[in-house]
Amino acid sequence: MANEIESAVISELYSDVVQAALFTLSEQTVIRPLVRNYNMVGTPGLVAQVPIYPAVAAAAVADGDDLSNIAFNTSEKTITASEVGAMVTLTDLAKETAGEDVATAVGRQLGDAMAKKVDTDLAALFNGFSQSVGSGAAEITVDDIFKAAATLRNGNAPGPYFCFLHPYQAFQLKKTLAGNGNTPMNNTDLVNEALRSGYVGQVAGAQIFETTVITGDSAGAFEGAMISQDALGYMVKRNMRIAEQRDESLRATEIVGSMAYGVSEIFDGYGVKMISDAQL
């Protein structure tokens, strides 16, 4: 069997507590908690049907006149779950020569990998939004943030709004706020926070988050997004679990992380793609 963790490499990966701390550097789910979540744990079937309700308009009516009936035809979106997983094989000798509980560390790393996979799948949906601001030949600006928020409000997308950007995209916003190489903005609390910690915070009523799961398109441009919570849906069929299984002939333990879930766009008009170049 290939790809086992053997004693030859265990000292490089898990020799002390400092190495274990490296596991915590992996990003936790950033996008998933901020989209619409559906729980199908223990429910038969792999497909969740999400009803889409039509908008209803009110009109003036004269005293004594009967109201006209309004058609209320719902549509639906479906979210189909599938399994994802990862496995690490930990040899007995590797575990016995490690300076800490390597099995626990590996399990924690598997959990982080699963969390990143969920966010990666959600971020891949950003490309599907029909509305967009920015350009693959330019950096994201504060104006783009305001334009995206205005687009969502014009489409009656319910708040709050969340904006997800790659760190390279967010860099330009921080640079503008801090006044690095340009005329500084007014000395607001937002500017002070950008200078102190690098956190972008809230702009145009949208909370801005950085995540490395955002990738580029075929031309190399980054595609972040500003969304209302109902723009995307995440459905969990089986929560993440970590299990161990012995392989006695190999003198090793298989550590397996797995879960079952699905993601889908729900309301196209509730999301705006944020496009920029992939350069700092």
Side-chain angles (χ1 to χ4, degrees):
M1 182 181 294
N3 298 321
E4 299 90 358
I5 295 180
E6 301 175 339
S7 59
V9 299
I10 198 67
S11 60
E12 298 176 10
L13 296 176
Y14 312 112
S15 59
D16 50 33
V17 176
V18 174
Q19 290 287 19
L22 294 177
F23 292 124
T24 64
L25 297 179
S26 298
E27 290 189 3
Q28 301 296 324
T29 50
V30 175
I31 304 174
R32 181 197 57 77
L34 302 177
V35 303
R36 187 62 62 189
N37 280 232
Y38 303 93
N39 191 335
M40 282 192 62
V41 175
T43 302
L46 293 174
V47 180
Q49 296 180 329
V50 180
I52 308 299
Y53 298 105
V56 176
V61 61
D63 183 31
D65 287 351
D66 197 3
L67 290 170
S68 299
N69 187 50
I70 300 175
F72 195 78
N73 298 320
T74 61
S75 58
E76 68 178 22
K77 291 279 189 174
T78 60
I79 308 177
T80 303
S82 61
E83 277 192 304
V84 299
M87 181 180 78
V88 172
T89 300
L90 176 62
T91 66
D92 290 350
L93 188 59
K95 183 177 180 180
E96 291 160 1
T97 57
E100 63 156 329
D101 186 351
V102 181
T104 299
V106 171
R108 187 167 61 247
Q109 184 71 347
L110 285 172
D112 287 344
M114 300 294 284
K116 188 173 183 180
K117 172 61 175 169
V118 171
D119 268 7
T120 298
D121 289 347
L122 285 167
L125 299 175
F126 295 166
N127 177 262
F129 291 137
S130 59
Q131 305 175 111
S132 66
V133 299
S135 164
E139 296 172 317
I140 286 289
T141 67
V142 175
D143 281 352
D144 291 328
I145 301 296
F146 278 93
K147 287 178 183 177
T151 301
L152 292 180
R153 291 190 179 96
N154 183 62
N156 296 315
Y161 299 154
F162 307 103
C163 183
F164 303 101
L165 301 174
H166 187 275
Y168 284 7
Q169 293 180 298
F171 167 76
Q172 182 62 25
L173 291 178
K174 296 176 181 178
K175 179 180 175 182
T176 300
L177 292 171
N180 185 10
N182 54 64
T183 302
M185 297 179 65
N186 291 333
N187 190 26
T188 63
D189 289 340
L190 180 60
V191 175
N192 292 335
E193 188 61 29
L195 288 167
R196 283 194 298 265
S197 65
Y199 175 59
V200 178
Q202 186 167 325
V203 178
Q207 298 178 53
I208 300 177
F209 299 87
E210 296 180 61
T211 173
T212 58
V213 301
I214 292 173
T215 57
D217 62 12
S218 58
F222 281 127
E223 295 180 335
M226 183 182 293
I227 67 169
S228 170
Q229 187 176 38
D230 289 327
L232 304 176
Y234 165 82
M235 180 268 284
V236 59
K237 176 62 182 176
R238 187 179 71 236
N239 286 313
M240 183 184 70
R241 66 187 182 197
I242 303 293
E244 297 181 359
Q245 178 173 289
R246 282 292 296 173
D247 187 337
E248 204 59 51
S249 64
L250 186 63
R251 293 92 59 214
T253 300
E254 297 173 348
I255 305 174
V256 178
S258 67
M259 65 186 300
Y261 67 88
V263 299
S264 177
E265 178 184 289
I266 304 299
F267 288 95
D268 178 72
Y270 288 2
V272 177
K273 187 162 40 179
M274 310 285 296
I275 307 173
S276 77
D277 64 32
Q279 306 298 320
L280 279 174

